[in-house]
Amino acid sequence: MKSYLVQFAQAHPKFRKAELEALAELYNIPVDLSKHNESIPFLEIKLKDDDQARALVSRAILSKGIYELWGSGTTYENLFKDIREQSQSKFAQYKNSSFKFEFESFKGRQSHEAQMEIMESLSFLGLKGRINLKTPDETFTIFEEYQVYGMEKAHTPKQLWFGRLVQLSERIRNNIVEKYDLKKRSYIGTTSFDAELSLVSCNLAHVQEQRIVYDPFAGTGSFLVAAAGFGALNIGSDIDTRMLSGKDNVNIATNFKDYGTSTQFIDVMTMDFTHNALRSNFVIDTIICDPPYGVREGLRVLGAKNKEKAAGRETNVVNGEIAHLRRDFIHPKKPYELSSLLDDLLQFASVRLPIGGRLAFWMPTANDDFEITLIPQHKCLELKFNLEQQFNKWSRRLLVYVKRDQSYIGETRNGLKELNIKSFRERYFHGFSESSR
Ligand SMILES: C[S@@+](CC[C@H](N)C(=O)[O-])C[C@H]1O[C@@H](n2cnc3c(N)ncnc32)[C@H](O)[C@@H]1O
């Protein structure tokens, strides 16, 4: 096994390890990530070879790159000694390569002069190739971690690493987070989901090329366009036809066109998820969504609040046709319990996903009443990740489940129903000031 250093992006530290874990599982790479520390953006790991390193990080969103680790130390003197001891045998291989040096520093930085001096000191590597800052054969990076005490700026790093770049991630190589930034997207709405976390959700859900991804609450299609970025074929549905059709000549389909992924857009349809019309043998590899919690959108299903009144309507006739059989008939809708919708979602996933298929969805929870038993469970689905993004008085959690075969015996649980938790919507609009039950 060889040593590598992963450099993380300084974003969503609670999701970084999970993303790598999911990618390792996707590509069948055995790796120990237990040294991960949320407070620093560097992680030493062991892998078989560079191919594994490339596969692990290539499509990551929260990692920036992976480096073959040549040495580490707490001072520059120690670092240089360690490089000589650990990596002398590697020097000859890169002797004639064009190269550049880079610095990646966390919570501090050397002056330009000091950096020049450090690079000069690396002459013992014996690199005789041309320096090429734009397209070097090899990039050698010095990583520095500084310790900050209060407001005081640290001048000397407390930990150093030196590595040869093996693979930059999708985030850096293709600027994917910026590419999918909502500010640059023509069709968005109040429910559009943050691009970075949509992409991370896709990685955790094992979205793959040419596989079918379904978002049953598609809205403006945030997860679908992100999934297309990873090569998936996408289908969505939403009860609100206005969301799907868009406005001013922009809609989900034009977003796909703008990203150059139209061939990966199957379609979206107006449909109540609880009256699902997808044929039962239609293969769905991944379900990924942000269900309606009532904050920016209503949770409604087809049906009449007042059955007697609705029964009267059945005899309504418009232009000689029974009103509810006309194509332009707008079906009545009634409110529905979120807990029941989540039951429906897990049940749907348990039946429609293939073994190993993943369901990923976001669920908001109030911080003062959170109990782990609130997380819904289904006996055929293993909860793989429960990752929290915290806001002031509430959090939203990304829950990722894997469909298991018959030998798996999980529990079925609906915490929202069992604990009789007040609707998230109600608590959100009252500033979480009242009791949750
Ligand atoms: C939180 S939004 C999801 C937004 C979406 N991720 C986006 O990128 O815009 C929830 C969506 O669920 C839809 N919805 C509400 N009840 C539904 C139901 N019974 N069946 C299908 N969609 C429903 C709403 O119209 C809304 O667009």
Side-chain angles (χ1 to χ4, degrees):
M1 295 293 261
K2 288 172 58 180
S3 296
Y4 290 86
L5 186 77
V6 177
Q7 184 189 13
F8 292 111
Q10 306 224 28
H12 305 296
K14 289 192 169 150
F15 290 68
R16 300 195 291 221
K17 180 179 166 210
E19 188 188 39
L20 279 189
E21 210 176 303
L23 294 175
E25 201 178 340
L26 180 61
Y27 297 116
N28 214 356
I29 302 172
V31 61
D32 177 4
L33 302 170
S34 60
K35 275 195 185 167
H36 177 255
N37 173 350
E38 280 176 16
S39 58
I40 60 162
F42 308 117
L43 171 67
E44 280 182 46
I45 57 174
K46 299 256 189 237
L47 294 169
K48 188 165 102 230
D49 54 25
D50 287 5
D51 286 345
Q52 280 196 344
R54 280 187 205 100
L56 182 66
V57 162
S58 182
R59 58 177 276 182
I61 301 302
L62 299 177
S63 299
K64 291 169 93 174
I66 187 159
Y67 298 77
E68 181 188 47
L69 190 59
W70 282 30
S72 61
T74 48
T75 62
Y76 270 101
E77 203 185 334
N78 287 345
L79 173 69
F80 297 155
K81 186 167 169 271
D82 198 46
I83 297 173
R84 278 201 181 90
E85 282 171 13
Q86 307 293 328
S87 301
Q88 185 96 39
S89 60
K90 300 186 183 95
F91 296 176
Q93 191 182 342
Y94 302 101
K95 192 172 154 202
N96 297 314
S97 310
S98 66
F99 71 98
K100 71 170 171 181
F101 286 125
E102 275 187 349
F103 278 81
E104 292 287 348
S105 305
F106 178 59
K107 291 192 173 169
R109 177 162 292 280
Q110 305 275 358
S111 67
H112 180 65
E113 293 70 32
Q115 289 190 347
M116 294 300 284
E117 216 172 286
I118 293 161
M119 289 190 276
E120 296 281 327
S121 316
L122 285 163
S123 60
F124 69 86
L125 298 174
L127 297 168
K128 304 283 180 239
R130 217 162 31 89
I131 292 177
N132 179 343
L133 298 182
K134 277 200 173 146
T135 52
D137 296 332
E138 304 298 338
T139 299
F140 294 97
T141 306
I142 298 125
F143 298 91
E144 298 181 318
E145 182 202 345
Y146 291 79
Q147 177 102 48
V148 178
Y149 298 99
M151 299 298 282
E152 213 176 297
K153 228 177 165 185
H155 296 287
T156 44
K158 72 168 202 156
Q159 183 64 43
L160 297 152
W161 296 267
F162 181 77
R164 179 184 63 85
L165 174 64
V166 175
Q167 180 69 51
L168 289 176
S169 71
E170 188 67 13
R171 179 187 190 100
I172 303 297
R173 233 176 37 242
N174 292 324
N175 231 342
I176 192 168
V177 176
E178 224 182 294
K179 177 175 166 191
Y180 284 94
D181 188 354
L182 292 183
K183 288 192 215 94
K184 296 185 184 150
R185 196 174 296 174
S186 357
Y187 176 51
I188 54 167
T190 51
T191 60
S192 297
F193 204 90
D194 164 72
E196 188 170 27
L197 286 173
S198 299
L199 292 160
V200 172
S201 308
C202 289
N203 270 339
L204 290 159
H206 283 183
V207 165
Q208 287 182 78
E209 246 175 63
Q210 301 300 312
R211 300 283 174 88
I212 303 280
V213 168
Y214 171 47
D215 181 347
F217 311 103
T220 58
S222 315
F223 293 116
L224 301 180
V225 286
F230 291 111
L233 302 172
N234 296 277
I235 186 161
S237 61
D238 198 289
I239 200 167
D240 186 348
T241 195
R242 293 164 306 174
M243 289 282 208
L244 304 178
S245 47
K247 54 176 188 279
D248 304 331
N249 295 326
V250 291
N251 51 39
I252 299 179
T254 61
N255 278 347
F256 273 85
K257 199 162 162 228
D258 293 346
Y259 290 123
T261 52
S262 290
T263 51
Q264 279 142 257
F265 177 55
I266 301 178
D267 213 342
V268 282
M269 56 202 148
T270 307
M271 181 169 80
D272 169 14
F273 174 66
T274 66
H275 290 77
N276 207 285
L278 287 175
R279 65 181 155 78
S280 59
N281 60 350
F282 179 76
V283 177
I284 299 165
D285 297 293
T286 310
I287 300 169
I288 184 162
C289 58
D290 181 21
Y293 294 97
V295 174
R296 283 187 206 84
E297 74 302 290
L299 163 47
R300 309 204 150 261
V301 294
L302 294 183
K305 252 198 226 168
N306 182 334
K307 287 217 169 115
E308 278 170 25
K309 221 166 137 193
R313 273 200 217 118
E314 281 183 12
T315 50
N316 280 359
V317 174
V318 177
N319 288 343
E321 284 179 89
I322 296 179
H324 74 272
L325 296 179
R326 284 169 59 95
R327 285 189 70 84
D328 61 0
F329 179 73
I330 298 176
H331 292 266
K333 299 184 186 75
K334 61 176 186 187
Y336 196 57
E337 284 293 321
L338 173 65
S339 55
S340 306
L341 187 77
L342 296 183
D343 262 355
D344 298 340
L345 181 61
L346 267 67
Q347 178 57 23
F348 181 87
S350 76
V351 176
R352 299 298 188 97
L353 290 175
I355 307 295
R358 293 190 173 207
L359 160 69
F361 69 91
W362 287 82
M363 175 177 174
T365 48
N367 293 345
D368 62 357
D369 68 14
F370 181 74
E371 289 177 33
I372 192 70
T373 49
L374 273 183
I375 303 297
Q377 299 273 11
H378 187 287
K379 62 182 190 315
C380 304
L381 304 172
E382 183 192 348
L383 179 67
K384 195 83 192 163
F385 297 111
N386 163 14
L387 304 168
E388 185 188 15
Q389 183 190 22
Q390 265 193 352
F391 298 100
N392 186 12
K393 293 187 172 168
W394 65 285
S395 298
R396 63 179 175 190
R397 287 164 191 275
L398 174 58
L399 306 176
V400 182
Y401 302 80
V402 185
K403 162 84 180 276
R404 293 298 182 206
D405 64 17
Q406 284 169 342
S407 64
Y408 179 78
I409 305 166
E411 65 172 310
T412 299
R413 190 175 62 209
N414 187 326
L416 285 179
K417 221 175 251 169
E418 285 159 21
L419 296 169
N420 200 16
I421 294 284
K422 247 189 209 161
S423 94
F424 180 79
R425 178 182 199 280
E426 219 173 291
R427 298 213 63 213
Y428 181 90
F429 285 115
H430 287 98
F432 301 97
S433 52
E434 318 152 332
S435 123
S436 58
R437 288 164 217 186

